[in-house]
Amino acid sequence: MRMADAPTPLWEVFIRSRNGLAHKHVGSVHAADATMALQAARDVYTRRGEGLSIWVVPSNAITASDPADRDTLFEPTGSKIYRHPTFYEVPDEVGNM
Amino acid sequence: MYSQALNTPTTLADTSEAATGFQARIDAEDRIEPNDWMPDAYRRTLVRQISQHAHSEIVGMLPEGNWITRAPSLRRKAALLAKVQDEGGHGLYLYAAAETLGVSREELVEQLLTGRAKYSSIFNYPTLTWADIGAIGWLVDGAAIMNQIPLCRCSFGPYARAMIRICREESFHQRQGYEIMLTLARGTPEQKAMAQDALDRWWWPCLMMFGPPDTQSQHSDASMHWKIKRFTNDALRQKFVDATVPQGHYLGLTFPDPELRFDEASGHWAFGEIDWAEFRRVLAGDGPCNRERLAARRRAHEDGAWVREAALAYAAKQHAAPPRAEAA
């Protein structure tokens, strides 16, 4: 019976597509260290000039919110419609604002 | 590139509050994400389907890789190399999607190498001539795209996102294959005969890629219910035949099916009986290349073992090295 290999660490990959845009999560790669993770991310996620810059972050360094907490986390903004511009009335004669 | 309908039956009997809520989200076209609650059977079905899909991409590199060094021109060689690299990339996107469900990459690779996991039956056929590279791009990728476009709307977020990326990259694959077929079909009589021979050999195995007929497969029920699948095997197969037959006629080639005819009433191309005994045989491990494919994967994995070990050892050493500044 063969034994499975030792696990290789997981990294999350973020790519900035064009100058001015933020890095966006595109997927993940396995690599032994950060240098190899960057190289793997380059090969796997930018074969067609998708990026100008890559970040790789150890997956276990990310702290995520729990989907089960969604309601309590985000509910408070639901009632604050005055945070949106359309809440305020401006006469048409004033033009674009 | 290549998914195949290999679903196994699952039960939908769970009537707990969590399960009802889950189904309500599916019915509302909500996307399920890795940390959300999901029925065990949904998780198992996805791990199996996504990993089979990933294995198919990886094994699918072998029949085409066979022709990289013998491509007839630098243009064809560069395109084929890029295509095979894409298949490798697609395998990696899909393994990553499967891993979000709690299975490790090492485990998945192990399942492939020990023969416990399945992959698409199509890759157990040999690539005998250069025309096979044309036929694979045109037909095998064409069938795969037909299968994969609806998977972009799959209820499981990571799988759907991987499929969107894959479909976007894949349209070049089919076009480069068709261009090879067109060049051969317009070439010398020998070249045209080579294209015809490739179509003759790949046509039926491509129709099998969509999986068993709906009448024999109660398996898709759960997958349809969970919106992992959107169309039945037969519906997708018919779409593929309808799209592909006119393309073949444009090439001036004939299909190896005496019963193939356009049915005016339904507006579809009717085709003959598929040899399901062959499909089951190839899937069970007795196709022309099953042993060769697995042996090639095992060899590649074993030959790469020292690289993986060295990389991990180097990373551990870097991590353990004391900061130099403190030496004084």
Side-chain angles (χ1 to χ4, degrees):
Chain A
M1 188 68 195
R2 301 165 42 96
M3 289 292 289
D5 284 354
T8 302
L10 185 65
W11 305 74
E12 298 304 318
V13 180
F14 299 80
I15 290 177
R16 186 168 65 211
S17 55
R18 282 185 302 278
N19 272 333
L21 293 184
H23 286 75
K24 190 176 171 233
H25 183 246
V26 293
S28 45
V29 293
H30 286 275
D33 61 32
T35 309
M36 295 186 77
L38 266 183
Q39 287 170 0
R42 195 272 315 261
D43 291 344
V44 176
Y45 291 103
T46 64
R47 285 193 304 282
R48 287 172 176 78
E50 289 91 336
L52 298 174
S53 163
I54 304 175
W55 289 350
V56 289
V57 179
S59 302
N60 58 16
I62 292 178
T63 307
S65 66
D66 187 336
D69 295 341
R70 193 164 52 181
D71 291 347
T72 46
L73 267 180
F74 303 111
E75 184 277 332
T77 69
S79 56
K80 296 177 175 58
I81 53 171
Y82 44 84
R83 284 176 171 170
H84 298 277
T86 47
F87 179 76
Y88 301 93
E89 299 223 0
V90 174
D92 289 347
E93 300 88 81
V94 178
N96 273 336
M97 183 177 282
Chain B
M1 128 176 193
Y2 318 100
S3 69
Q4 185 164 52
L6 299 170
N7 314 315
T8 49
T10 37
T11 162
L12 295 168
D14 192 349
T15 52
S16 67
E17 195 182 325
T20 325
F22 171 82
Q23 191 59 46
R25 288 186 61 195
I26 298 271
D27 294 341
E29 297 290 332
D30 206 358
R31 289 284 176 276
I32 307 301
E33 295 297 336
N35 292 331
D36 295 345
W37 187 90
M38 63 184 82
D40 286 343
Y42 178 81
R43 185 184 299 274
R44 275 198 309 273
T45 301
L46 277 171
V47 168
R48 191 179 51 242
Q49 179 170 336
I50 301 172
S51 60
Q52 280 171 1
H53 197 161
H55 299 325
S56 301
E57 302 282 354
I58 298 300
V59 177
M61 296 163 80
L62 297 172
E64 291 183 293
N66 184 33
W67 280 91
I68 290 175
T69 57
R70 288 171 285 161
S73 70
L74 190 55
R75 181 179 186 271
R76 297 287 188 216
K77 187 179 200 158
L80 184 57
L81 197 53
K83 181 178 189 297
V84 173
Q85 282 178 322
D86 271 356
E87 309 306 357
H90 297 173
L92 296 181
Y93 306 156
L94 288 162
Y95 280 131
E99 288 167 62
T100 65
L101 290 160
V103 58
S104 77
R105 174 77 56 94
E106 289 75 18
E107 238 174 298
L108 295 174
V109 169
E110 202 52 26
Q111 288 172 5
L112 173 67
L113 297 183
T114 52
R116 271 179 295 146
K118 295 216 184 315
Y119 55 85
S120 184
S121 56
I122 196 80
F123 302 115
N124 291 316
Y125 292 87
T127 42
L128 303 178
T129 74
W130 170 251
D132 289 18
I133 299 305
I136 287 181
W138 171 39
L139 299 172
V140 176
D141 287 81
I145 290 169
M146 217 43 108
N147 240 330
Q148 290 177 164
I149 286 174
L151 286 173
C152 296
R153 294 187 293 127
C154 163
S155 59
F156 186 59
Y159 193 24
R161 291 192 285 273
M163 291 320 306
I164 289 169
R165 226 189 145 80
I166 289 173
C167 285
R168 200 171 53 217
E169 295 182 349
E170 202 136 86
S171 63
F172 114 70
H173 296 183
Q174 193 184 12
R175 290 171 64 103
Q176 68 92 34
Y178 193 74
E179 196 194 78
I180 291 171
M181 292 300 275
L182 193 60
T183 307
L184 290 172
R186 287 175 175 172
T188 63
E190 288 84 358
Q191 287 171 323
K192 187 171 180 182
M194 197 193 264
Q196 181 63 60
D197 168 61
L199 173 55
D200 290 346
R201 282 182 290 108
W202 288 93
W203 177 245
W204 289 108
C206 279
L207 295 190
M208 296 174 196
M209 282 176 70
F210 295 92
D214 299 347
T215 48
Q216 286 174 29
S217 157
Q218 71 282 46
H219 309 156
S220 15
D221 290 356
S223 283
M224 299 276 281
H225 192 63
W226 285 326
K227 300 196 176 167
I228 295 171
K229 274 180 81 163
R230 299 272 175 172
F231 297 98
T232 67
N233 298 352
D234 284 338
L236 288 168
R237 187 167 14 245
Q238 185 66 56
K239 267 167 90 105
F240 172 71
V241 172
D242 289 343
T244 309
V245 169
Q247 296 165 357
H249 290 160
Y250 182 83
L251 294 172
L253 301 178
T254 55
F255 288 83
D257 179 1
E259 292 175 52
L260 188 72
R261 59 176 182 83
F262 188 70
D263 180 48
E264 293 285 351
S266 66
H268 293 297
W269 285 88
F271 51 95
E273 191 61 34
I274 294 170
D275 181 358
W276 292 112
E278 175 181 325
F279 173 71
R280 283 189 294 271
R281 205 163 56 237
V282 175
L283 209 54
D286 205 15
C289 299
N290 295 55
R291 257 155 283 180
E292 186 185 329
R293 300 291 183 238
L294 268 192
R297 282 315 311 155
R298 285 196 194 112
R299 196 167 55 242
H301 189 74
E302 280 156 19
D303 288 352
W306 72 270
V307 179
R308 293 189 297 276
E309 281 162 24
L312 283 171
Y314 179 74
K317 204 167 150 187
Q318 293 300 105
H319 196 68
R324 270 180 296 175
E326 286 173 22

